[in-house]
Amino acid sequence: MTTRPSPTPYALDIDGLLTRTPTVRHRLDLSRPVSRALLAHCLQIALHAPNGGNRQSWRFLVIDDPETKAGIARHYKAASDAYLAATPPTAMSERAVDGVRHLADHLHLVPALVLAGIRGRLPRDATLAQQSSFFGSVYPALWSLMLALRGRGLGTALTTVHLAREREVAALVGIPARTVTQVALVAVAHTTGGSDFRPTPRQPLDDVVSWNRWQR
Ligand SMILES: Cc1cc2nc3c(=O)[nH]c(=O)nc-3n(C[C@H](O)[C@H](O)[C@H](O)COP(=O)(O)O)c2cc1C
């Protein structure tokens, strides 16, 4: 599919985009479709992201078929329930658990899911450099996709919990799991309650950044 550039519909400068792109779960508009042209355009932008050796081994599957979404959502829900059951109560706030549960309960209704994968499988004895380059060759593109969508007023949630059921999801959508590794699933929707989001809360800079000598 070829895509035509489209301007972002509302003003959000680059710093605003980078600091106000949260994981959207409760505010996903489940009643409004997301156009394929818009998704294709934002994916086209995402393909400019850095990646190891510029091999572009990433692959993206857009899922907007209700039955396929329902199948994925069933696996997602099972994996998410298992994850939450295994997570100590002190590890996540009640609010965070509520958000994760809400997304798992509504994933089948999210207008579009983008399943990202990468060609190849990491060998069991993969070096740290291989591991980092492998998954790191997909995440910048996913973040670009999320930012491009956000710049057009949409919301996203980047998730990995379904990977506990990677094989089942691969079989459902025809991914050759022996030669392609799934990396993440991004829920995509327009947002309810406008397009405004507060800056995402983060630790103070000085708690995580040191200069010249590692201190943290
Ligand atoms: C690698 C990765 C995996 C994630 N997996 C999930 C997931 O499976 N389910 C989910 O609801 N959120 C998932 N998230 C979203 C995080 O929970 C979220 O980014 C974090 O809580 C910070 O919130 P914010 O993005 O709104 O600032 C994931 C984020 C990343 C970067």
Side-chain angles (χ1 to χ4, degrees):
M1 186 184 287
T2 54
T3 64
R4 253 180 285 121
S6 68
T8 54
Y10 72 104
L12 191 63
D13 66 19
I14 290 176
D15 290 359
L17 189 67
L18 290 168
T19 55
R20 293 164 185 264
T21 299
T23 301
V24 184
R25 301 186 184 93
H26 283 283
R27 284 179 57 187
L28 296 170
D29 188 341
L30 305 178
S31 63
R32 184 172 167 195
V34 173
S35 94
R36 286 187 176 189
L38 176 67
L39 273 166
H41 181 66
C42 293
L43 281 161
Q44 179 77 69
I45 290 171
L47 296 187
H48 292 274
N51 65 97
N54 200 20
R55 281 183 289 275
Q56 302 170 62
S57 301
W58 48 38
R59 295 293 181 269
F60 304 90
L61 176 70
V62 182
I63 303 145
D64 57 6
D65 167 59
E67 222 173 283
T68 312
K69 282 191 297 176
I72 290 177
R74 273 193 291 278
H75 290 301
Y76 187 100
K77 171 80 178 136
S80 180
D81 284 350
Y83 170 79
L84 289 175
T87 303
T90 47
M92 271 173 98
S93 69
E94 251 178 62
R95 193 179 145 82
V97 170
D98 177 60
V100 170
R101 198 165 275 141
H102 180 85
L103 182 63
D105 286 341
H106 294 84
L107 198 76
H108 59 296
L109 299 173
V110 173
L113 306 175
V114 178
L115 182 50
I118 182 161
R119 283 161 57 95
R121 304 284 318 181
L122 273 180
R124 275 188 196 285
D125 59 351
T127 64
L128 180 59
Q130 284 174 322
Q131 294 176 50
S132 183
S133 169
F134 191 68
F135 294 105
S137 287
V138 179
Y139 276 107
L142 284 180
W143 183 229
S144 290
L145 172 67
M146 293 160 73
L147 294 171
L149 288 163
R150 168 83 173 105
R152 288 160 179 79
L154 284 82
T156 57
L158 170 68
T159 73
T160 50
V161 77
H162 89 276
L163 296 177
R165 293 197 161 207
E166 186 201 6
R167 299 287 159 141
E168 291 86 343
V169 170
L172 189 73
V173 296
I175 294 172
R178 288 207 299 195
T179 54
V180 173
T181 305
Q182 292 174 50
V183 176
L185 181 76
V186 182
V188 181
H190 291 275
T191 55
T192 58
S195 308
D196 245 11
F197 288 93
R198 280 193 294 267
T200 46
R202 293 294 186 261
Q203 296 172 48
L205 185 77
D206 287 344
D207 287 5
V208 295
V209 176
S210 46
W211 303 82
N212 292 322
R213 192 159 180 84
W214 192 268
Q215 283 170 349
R216 308 288 165 201

